[in-house]
């Protein structure tokens, strides 16, 4: 089975044999991919490469696609692929990865296991390499910085999303996100898969350095995807708003859309004597600071519960064998 990226990159090298083949292939893609009427499917220029529906289906079921890990004497990663040939853009050579482009017959390739695929992805990471779908080649891997807004994709581009990086864990390559949105897609049967959104401030096991490619969301010169970074960021914020949440970039916090009371409204805060106190929000600097610090509650019971959690943390700290260290 192939991802949308692999299908479109494959067909961009071909013209359909007949109008009927065009209709059948296009109908197949529309069922299995989330494409728009403006999506360019076949080569926009004249080409001698012709494909019919049957050949396309055979490739879809058993052929090789761009970014796929395969075996050619050793583990390799593929660039452009047709029904008859494939371009190797990276090959394991002892403990190194050669990045020279070599075109071979697809008959010389073998499929590999998921274990071998993960092994090669780990080797790419150790050599600081990633697959660039624009140039169909390997390039230096982009490692996101903490607090950076990013686009992310898995290797066959069947998963695509937006996120904001909180932390990176070198021991297991996990990338922790403050929040994220993964775009809707379709499974191999053409059934829709809903998009997903997360905003816990500690989103783990969503993406990792080994199996995903990262791009800076708001730095066009460093991003090889055709996506509009600003539009993508707006999409993330819209998806959060559907959950009644908002990302506050300056203070790096997810909060409710209407966290603050209207001017003249009541709120509660915890004072320096660890007591819950009611106040009227007159939009003074003091109230603004409490809001920014998160010491601001429009519900009395929530303020009391948070005070209890603070007290429990302090008791645990004082009882710790590591005191006065935390």
């Amino acid at each position: 089975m192939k991802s949308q990226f692999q299908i479109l990159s494959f067909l961009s090298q071909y013209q359909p044999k007949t109008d009927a083949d065009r209709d059948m292939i296009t109908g197949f893609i529309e069922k299995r991919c989330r494409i728009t009427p403006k999506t360019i499917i076949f080569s926009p220029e004249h080409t001698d490469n012709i494909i019919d529906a049957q050949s396309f289906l055979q490739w879809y079921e058993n052929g090789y696609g761009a970014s796929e890990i395969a075996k050619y004497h050793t583990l390799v990663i593929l660039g452009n692929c047709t029904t008859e040939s494939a371009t190797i853009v990276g090959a394991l050579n002892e403990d190194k990865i050669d990045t020279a482009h070599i075109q071979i017959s697809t008959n010389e390739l073998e499929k590999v296991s998921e274990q071998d695929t993960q092994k090669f992805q780990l080797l790419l990471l150790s050599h600081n390499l990633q697959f660039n779908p624009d140039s169909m080649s390997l390039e230096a891997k982009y490692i996101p910085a903490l607090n950076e807004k990013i686009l992310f994709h898995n290797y066959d581009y069947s998963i695509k999303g937006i996120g904001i990086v909180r932390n990176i864990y070198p021991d297991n390559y996990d990338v922790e996100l403050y929040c994220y949105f993964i775009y809707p897609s379709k499974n191999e049967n053409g059934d829709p898969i809903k998009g997903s959104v997360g905003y816990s401030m500690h989103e783990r096991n969503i993406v990792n350095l080994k199996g995903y490619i990262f791009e800076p969301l708001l730095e066009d010169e460093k991003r090889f995807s055709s996506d509009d970074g600003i539009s993508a960021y707006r999409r993330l914020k819209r998806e959060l708003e559907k959950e009644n949440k908002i990302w506050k970039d300056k203070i790096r916090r997810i909060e409710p859309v209407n966290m603050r009371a209207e001017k003249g409204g009541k709120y509660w805060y915890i004072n320096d004597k660890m007591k819950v106190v009611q106040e009227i929000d007159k939009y003074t600097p003091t109230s603004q600071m409490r809001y920014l610090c998160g010491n601001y509650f429009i519900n009395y019971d929530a303020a009391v519960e948070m005070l209890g959690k603070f007290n429990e943390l302090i008791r645990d700290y004082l009882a710790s064998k590591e005191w006065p260290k935390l």
Side-chain angles (χ1 to χ4, degrees):
M1 303 303 177
K2 306 294 185 293
S3 69
Q4 177 172 316
F5 159 70
Q6 291 172 326
I7 292 171
L8 294 179
S9 62
F10 171 77
L11 288 175
S12 69
Q13 304 169 85
Y14 288 93
Q15 286 291 333
K17 186 175 182 179
T18 66
D19 288 343
D21 289 308
R22 178 189 297 274
D23 292 342
M24 285 188 285
I25 293 172
T26 301
F28 181 90
I29 296 172
E30 288 175 345
K31 180 179 179 181
R32 284 164 173 77
C33 302
R34 294 181 63 86
I35 62 173
T36 66
K38 294 182 179 180
T39 302
I40 297 175
I41 296 175
F42 298 98
S43 174
E45 302 175 355
H46 173 73
T47 175
D48 293 330
N49 292 333
I50 305 298
I51 193 164
D52 57 34
Q54 182 179 357
S55 298
F56 168 72
L57 290 175
Q58 288 175 345
W59 169 83
Y60 180 80
E61 294 290 341
N62 302 305
Y64 294 89
S67 79
E68 184 174 345
I69 312 300
K71 188 174 183 180
Y72 175 70
H73 308 305
T74 185
L75 293 178
V76 298
I77 185 169
L78 306 176
N80 279 321
C81 295
T82 69
T83 56
E84 298 179 350
S85 67
T87 302
I88 294 173
V89 298
L92 178 61
N93 182 2
E94 295 182 351
D95 61 343
K96 297 181 180 179
I97 293 181
D98 292 335
T99 57
H101 288 211
I102 304 171
Q103 191 173 49
I104 64 169
S105 168
T106 53
N107 292 331
E108 300 178 81
L109 290 170
E110 297 177 31
K111 295 289 184 177
V112 298
S113 66
E114 180 62 26
Q115 184 178 2
D116 282 336
T117 296
Q118 293 183 7
K119 174 184 176 181
F120 194 83
Q121 289 173 353
L122 185 57
L123 287 167
L124 287 173
L125 176 59
S126 67
H127 289 81
N128 195 37
L129 293 170
Q130 69 182 24
F131 182 78
N132 184 327
D134 186 38
S135 63
M136 291 289 186
S137 61
L138 295 182
E139 63 176 24
K141 186 172 182 66
Y142 186 83
I143 305 296
L146 304 189
N147 304 313
E148 183 177 8
K149 302 170 186 67
I150 55 166
L151 285 171
F152 57 82
H153 326 257
N154 61 352
Y155 266 79
D156 67 3
Y157 287 74
S158 58
I159 298 175
K160 171 186 171 184
I162 320 157
I164 303 176
V165 178
R166 179 175 184 131
N167 206 350
I168 295 176
Y169 297 89
D171 56 334
N172 63 357
Y173 314 108
D174 191 34
V175 177
E176 182 180 22
L177 305 172
Y178 289 109
C179 58
Y180 71 88
F181 170 65
I182 294 178
Y183 286 92
S185 60
K186 291 185 178 181
N187 64 19
E188 59 188 33
N189 296 318
D191 300 321
I193 300 174
K194 291 183 178 180
S196 60
V197 62
Y199 45 86
S200 70
M201 295 285 289
H202 297 277
E203 296 293 342
R204 300 284 304 270
N205 301 314
I206 304 300
V207 292
N208 59 75
L209 294 176
K210 181 176 64 174
Y212 284 79
I213 298 168
F214 300 89
E215 302 177 59
L217 187 66
L218 302 179
E219 297 181 65
D220 294 345
E221 68 282 0
K222 294 182 181 180
R223 191 176 64 253
F224 50 72
S225 292
S226 58
D227 305 69
D228 183 323
I230 294 176
S231 295
Y233 185 37
R234 288 173 180 163
R235 177 66 183 272
L236 172 62
K237 292 194 282 188
R238 287 198 304 271
E239 296 299 330
L240 289 172
E241 287 173 1
K242 291 178 183 177
E243 303 292 323
N244 196 38
K245 298 294 182 182
I246 188 171
W247 166 253
K248 290 288 185 158
D249 197 46
K250 289 185 178 180
I251 54 180
R252 301 192 191 94
R253 185 172 78 195
I254 294 286
E255 64 181 51
V257 171
N258 298 310
M259 174 180 168
R260 193 167 182 180
E262 294 183 1
K263 190 173 183 178
K266 293 188 294 184
Y267 74 96
W268 290 262
Y269 70 95
I270 300 169
N271 67 11
D272 59 352
K273 297 179 181 178
M274 299 298 280
K275 301 292 184 181
V276 173
V277 179
Q278 181 181 299
E279 183 62 274
I280 300 298
D281 195 341
K282 300 177 181 178
Y283 281 31
T284 61
T286 300
S287 291
Q288 172 71 3
M289 184 57 66
R290 289 174 185 148
Y291 155 69
L292 291 175
C293 293
N295 188 13
Y296 186 106
F297 306 91
I298 60 174
N299 179 282
Y300 171 76
D301 291 337
V304 171
E305 185 172 346
M306 286 302 298
L307 176 59
K309 292 182 178 182
F310 291 153
N311 286 328
E312 187 67 23
L313 284 172
I314 291 171
R315 284 193 290 269
D316 290 345
Y317 166 63
L318 295 176
S320 171
K321 292 180 180 180
E322 303 298 322
W323 185 94
K325 295 181 181 180
L326 187 60

